[in-house]
Amino acid sequence: MKIKLIKIGKTPVDFEVKSDEITFKGYLEYDSGKLILLKANLSGFTLCECSRCGEEFNLKIDEKVKFFISDGVFDSDVSMDLDVVESFDSMADLDELISSEIELIKSDYHICDSCKVEW
Ligand SMILES: [Zn+2]
């Protein structure tokens, strides 16, 4: 699912996309300059490798996500502490965003239930 950034104004635009067993649900809202605010909730399950024993297990995900999408190159002179994703086709590619968010979560340290019990 792709949303044209130009269509996003001060009225939030709701979206909901799914990737396997994960739902990415939230809204996009125009912020300022070239920035669009994205606020969403990521919930569901994903197959993840245990950082301790290496076994794959189902990781429960329930994360709040908030970042900005910049329409074009983001001017880094602006000294703000923001999470910004740049878009070069003036689109919010939600399928791509959900997969990078999932990859980010997977790259964290996670241990499976049986390893938790041993601890
Ligand atoms: Zn384990």
Side-chain angles (χ1 to χ4, degrees):
M1 185 186 181
K2 282 190 175 193
I3 297 177
K4 275 195 175 120
L5 295 178
I6 197 145
K7 285 193 172 172
I8 300 160
K10 275 287 174 195
T11 311
V13 177
D14 294 323
F15 67 83
E16 183 173 344
V17 287
K18 279 178 195 249
S19 170
D20 298 327
E21 290 176 76
I22 295 176
T23 307
F24 189 40
K25 188 173 188 287
Y27 66 86
L28 292 153
E29 187 186 291
Y30 178 75
D31 186 70
S32 60
K34 295 189 280 187
L35 297 179
I36 308 283
L37 170 69
L38 182 149
K39 256 185 156 176
N41 203 64
L42 205 60
S43 61
F45 290 91
T46 186
L47 213 53
C48 174
E49 209 170 88
C50 173
S51 304
R52 187 153 176 256
C53 68
E55 290 287 328
E56 284 195 320
F57 69 104
N58 250 334
L59 176 73
K60 189 178 189 297
I61 293 179
D62 188 13
E63 299 244 343
K64 288 211 186 327
V65 178
K66 181 191 165 190
F67 56 85
F68 291 90
I69 298 169
S70 170
D71 189 357
V73 179
F74 178 62
D75 186 0
S76 52
D77 286 351
V78 187
S79 52
M80 285 182 288
D81 187 21
L82 296 177
D83 281 332
V84 177
V85 174
E86 291 170 331
S87 165
F88 297 104
D89 57 1
S90 297
M91 298 272 217
D93 188 342
L94 296 166
D95 299 311
E96 201 184 296
L97 292 171
I98 183 176
S99 36
S100 54
E101 286 300 323
I102 294 168
E103 285 309 311
L104 204 68
I105 291 170
K106 279 188 177 184
S107 66
D108 272 351
Y109 182 83
H110 300 292
I111 57 170
C112 70
D113 286 341
S114 43
C115 286
K116 271 181 200 161
V117 171
E118 283 172 35
W119 278 109

